[in-house]
Amino acid sequence: MARYIFVTGGVVSSLGKGLSSASLAYLLQSRGFKVRIRKLDPYLNVDPGTMSPFQHGEVFVTDDGAETDLDLGHYERFSGISAKKSDNITTGQIYSDVLKKERRGKYLGKTVQVIPHVTDRIKEFIKNDIKNEDFVICEIGGTVGDIESLPFVEAIRQFSNDIGKKNTLFIHLTLVPYMRASDEIKTKPTQHSVKELRSIGIQPDIIICRCERNIPLDQRKKISLFCNVDIKNVIQTIDVKTIYEAPISFNNENLDKQVLNYFKIKSKKNVNLTPWKKITKVVLNPKKYVNIAIIGKYVNLKDAYKSLDEALVHGGIHNNLKVNLIRIESDNLKPLDIKNKLNNVSGILIPGGFGKRGTEGKIEAIKYARKNKIPFLGICYGMQMAIIEFARNVLKINKASSTELDLKCIPVIGLIHEWKKNGKIIKGTDKDLGGTMRLGSYDAELVNNSLIRNIYKSRLIKERHRHRYEVNINYKSQFEKKGLIFSGNSPDKKLPEIIELKNHPWFIGVQFHPEFKSRPLAPHPLFSSFIKAAKNHKK
Ligand code: GLN
């Protein structure tokens, strides 16, 4: 039977619950156990798919087509386990399910209430789709004390009762601030947070204390005493220099050991930290670097392109160098500053995006990359912009654009009405925006003798998608005559998946999002190749 580990957060948000859960997952896996990680999000959106990156950072996409919280990206990158639709739930989804059931009369005339109906649905989610896992780690979003997260905390309290306390472990992550003025480490916020948690029925078994510096034994004793937790289970986590150090640091602090002790389980194997040590070394002591420009609408927001930033770093690790990300706001990119702003970069990347704002700046930058033979990677919207740029400036179709931007244009990019998945036809729409895009993993066939085929070293690939518009196949031969080839296509040949330029050292556009599948211990070949091309690019 699976053991459940619930991770809550206290005092403030952004303490790194996601990274702590993901690191613990790695450590337990490395000790020979099968692990799943899940996220319970208290907000009311059914999923984060319709949220602006300004609100909630990147939307992460799973193989099975769920639009999820970006923490699932951390989980995948650290644990190597591909997340599923069944690994992320929100209050919106829970209520939507409960209300649908109520409309169908499934509650047999009862008054539908938060307890037990909403909490029951949360408990169903926690148990759902678990087979032979040894551990299920569930992170509760938000901070203890929020009104929104109350039903989740109540549900995990009940859950622990249902399956037995010895099968559930509560980890609470809190802030232990250091006060510079008095040169003191303060435990009071942690005490208060644990008091809050206990008032809603949960006694934490392990407290992870986030602190800027070492927490002295006296302060640990105080936390242990006031929070009623074994001193060995007061675990500190000091800010790491790179996130890749996190599994090493948690192991040094015995987090994984204490988790196994709690459940009275023996480790099956020794933990292997060598891969993390290796990449930490490369990241912290780079010998060389490359500058890569990311041109997008949300570049000033730290988490908006989380997986992409990570994938570029992974590409750097593979090439033994540091990638400096130069973030350029596409809105302000006027033709006259292009040269100035892109003068010292060795690679240009246009990420995914939506809507008209900033597109002209992106198109100008692509023209610059094409003409000056600078390595270029266009992802999803970036590939669509590269098609528009080529159509306008090489094919001389002046009114070429996407129907997403201009309904009266010559549509080299258009709304796709249907596509095939596992032999079934799926219909697209732009009326209902939630979950109606072409989402999740789809196959692409790569053309012989193309650059992309050489990079993937395979004829058939699977990559994750998240888009509503597609390259218009009717212009294929016009593009190919002028040297822009469609080097990857859907198996039915209707949807161009990859484009590349013949007379350019490295110019690739992909309709999918390769960044979602890159992992620090297994960098994605497309990013490794892009960074290698940037390294070889002579400025
Ligand atoms: N807006 C474009 C579309 O829907 C691209 C989306 C993206 O870049 N993820 O097709």
Side-chain angles (χ1 to χ4, degrees):
M1 187 199 148
R3 268 92 173 172
Y4 287 79
I5 301 171
F6 294 104
V7 183
T8 53
V11 186
V12 291
S13 58
S14 306
L15 288 179
K17 267 188 307 204
L19 194 57
S20 311
S21 307
S23 302
L24 177 59
Y26 174 83
L27 295 171
L28 292 173
Q29 278 213 103
S30 177
R31 286 182 177 277
F33 299 102
K34 191 162 187 261
V35 186
R36 252 328 246 290
I37 328 182
R38 314 198 126 163
K39 175 92 195 268
L40 294 84
D41 275 311
Y43 50 74
L44 274 170
N45 302 60
V46 171
D47 61 43
T50 55
M51 271 194 240
S52 153
F54 285 116
Q55 288 282 309
H56 206 255
E58 161 191 283
V59 175
F60 188 76
V61 180
T62 59
D63 279 330
D64 60 0
E67 295 176 283
T68 72
D69 188 83
L70 55 80
D71 270 324
L72 272 80
H74 281 314
Y75 302 163
E76 280 204 15
R77 286 188 286 273
F78 277 78
S79 68
I81 313 163
S82 292
K84 296 204 225 164
K85 223 178 211 144
S86 53
D87 290 327
N88 188 200
I89 198 134
T90 67
T91 299
Q93 181 69 58
I94 298 275
Y95 273 84
S96 151
D97 293 354
V98 168
L99 294 178
K100 259 187 227 143
K101 208 169 155 187
E102 185 272 335
R103 290 291 79 185
R104 288 200 306 262
K106 297 282 180 196
Y107 293 109
L108 307 175
K110 291 210 179 82
T111 311
V112 180
Q113 292 178 301
V114 173
I115 304 172
H117 303 105
V118 168
T119 46
D120 278 355
R121 178 66 195 99
I122 297 173
K123 290 195 284 179
E124 267 167 38
F125 161 76
I126 293 170
K127 281 189 300 205
N128 176 32
D129 196 19
I130 295 297
K131 287 183 191 83
N132 50 354
E133 280 80 356
D134 299 297
F135 295 103
V136 182
I137 302 176
C138 292
E139 178 191 343
I140 318 291
T143 309
V144 165
D146 296 348
I147 291 179
E148 285 191 325
S149 60
L150 269 176
F152 288 103
V153 181
E154 168 60 16
I156 61 174
R157 183 194 67 75
Q158 292 177 16
F159 189 86
S160 162
N161 243 352
D162 297 349
I163 69 160
K165 187 64 195 81
K166 65 178 192 318
N167 297 317
T168 36
L169 166 72
F170 293 113
I171 298 183
H172 191 53
L173 176 65
T174 71
L175 179 71
V176 177
Y178 165 70
M179 304 291 289
R180 208 167 299 276
S182 56
D183 188 26
E184 274 179 311
I185 279 177
K186 292 293 188 190
T187 64
K188 192 70 87 192
T190 296
Q191 295 178 33
H192 276 294
S193 177
V194 170
K195 196 168 147 200
E196 183 79 40
L197 193 59
R198 283 157 87 181
S199 76
I200 43 181
I202 290 181
Q203 165 64 49
D205 305 298
I206 291 181
I207 300 182
I208 302 182
C209 306
R210 175 84 186 258
C211 193
E212 303 177 23
R213 47 182 71 201
N214 247 315
I215 306 176
L217 188 62
D218 273 354
Q219 264 75 15
R220 289 188 193 218
K221 278 189 182 156
K222 213 165 162 185
I223 294 172
S224 159
L225 177 71
F226 283 99
C227 301
N228 197 25
V229 168
D230 185 338
I231 180 95
K232 286 204 225 73
N233 289 350
V234 178
I235 294 193
Q236 69 176 10
T237 168
I238 302 177
D239 304 352
V240 281
K241 288 194 219 73
T242 147
I243 53 169
Y244 307 122
E245 256 184 323
I248 306 172
S249 145
F250 280 117
N251 175 259
N252 281 340
E253 294 295 330
N254 292 331
L255 175 64
D256 44 331
K257 195 174 142 207
Q258 288 309 107
V259 166
L260 293 184
N261 277 351
Y262 174 88
F263 289 116
K264 301 191 175 41
I265 295 178
K266 281 217 165 60
S267 183
K268 294 185 183 169
K269 286 199 274 176
N270 286 338
V271 175
N272 178 13
L273 292 169
T274 317
W276 298 106
K277 286 184 182 154
K278 266 193 200 152
I279 62 174
T280 301
K281 212 163 146 193
V282 177
V283 171
L284 295 181
N285 311 295
K287 302 275 175 297
K288 284 192 188 147
Y289 68 90
V290 287
N291 292 336
I292 302 288
I294 300 190
I295 306 173
K297 250 190 336 190
Y298 317 107
V299 286
N300 295 323
L301 193 88
K302 204 177 122 261
D303 281 342
Y305 302 109
K306 189 73 203 156
S307 298
L308 186 60
D309 294 355
E310 285 293 311
L312 287 163
V313 174
H314 305 161
I317 293 172
H318 189 251
N319 286 284
N320 236 315
L321 47 79
K322 177 173 191 297
V323 177
N324 287 331
L325 302 180
I326 317 255
R327 299 168 200 273
I328 301 174
E329 173 63 61
S330 51
D331 237 2
N332 306 332
L333 202 58
K334 304 282 173 284
L336 286 176
D337 4 285
I338 296 265
K339 199 167 171 232
N340 249 340
K341 288 203 170 151
L342 298 178
N343 199 18
N344 63 347
V345 304
S346 310
I348 295 177
L349 191 149
I350 313 273
F354 294 84
K356 195 173 167 74
R357 187 167 69 80
T359 48
E360 293 306 317
K362 291 180 187 173
I363 291 172
E364 282 301 321
I366 296 169
K367 182 173 166 194
Y368 183 82
R370 178 173 60 79
K371 291 199 149 179
N372 294 287
K373 309 233 182 287
I374 302 170
F376 168 82
L377 176 58
I379 293 181
C380 206
Y381 214 29
M383 157 165 158
Q384 297 176 359
M385 294 299 122
I387 283 280
I388 296 173
E389 189 281 318
F390 200 86
R392 287 185 191 169
N393 298 323
V394 181
L395 305 185
K396 303 292 176 205
I397 311 174
N398 293 341
K399 289 181 108 183
S401 191
S402 162
T403 49
E404 181 175 0
L405 313 178
D406 174 8
L407 283 173
K408 295 200 192 97
C409 69
I410 296 186
V412 284
I413 311 288
L415 182 65
I416 180 189
H417 294 288
E418 52 184 45
W419 56 84
K420 255 192 184 158
K421 185 158 200 173
N422 305 331
K424 268 205 283 180
I425 305 270
I426 302 182
K427 297 219 181 278
T429 169
D430 60 354
K431 301 284 176 298
D432 197 352
L433 294 184
T436 54
M437 280 188 263
R438 186 176 174 224
L439 285 167
S441 183
Y442 282 86
D443 292 349
E445 283 176 3
L446 310 187
V447 169
N448 281 342
N449 302 322
S450 58
L451 173 59
I452 199 76
R453 176 82 187 255
N454 191 26
I455 293 171
Y456 275 91
K457 310 237 177 312
S458 165
R459 194 182 68 82
L460 190 73
I461 60 163
K462 287 180 191 302
E463 290 283 6
R464 298 183 195 172
H465 290 247
R466 181 176 184 248
H467 57 104
R468 203 175 305 276
Y469 296 84
E470 297 276 354
V471 176
N472 187 340
I473 194 79
N474 297 333
Y475 293 88
K476 182 174 184 221
S477 62
Q478 284 193 54
F479 278 106
E480 298 211 319
K481 257 186 228 142
K482 293 281 185 186
L484 183 150
I485 61 161
F486 292 13
S487 54
N489 299 286
S490 59
D492 65 3
K493 310 247 176 319
K494 285 190 180 152
L495 307 173
E497 289 274 2
I498 302 157
I499 57 160
E500 60 188 71
L501 284 184
K502 270 193 175 154
N503 299 317
H504 192 290
W506 209 103
F507 187 107
I508 290 180
V510 291
Q511 187 56 79
F512 46 80
H513 289 270
E515 69 273 26
F516 293 141
K517 283 176 76 169
S518 186
R519 290 162 185 177
L521 304 185
H524 193 292
L526 199 50
F527 287 93
S528 299
S529 173
F530 176 53
I531 298 299
K532 187 170 171 203
K535 182 169 101 180
N536 297 336
H537 172 70
K538 301 217 173 29
K539 275 180 277 174

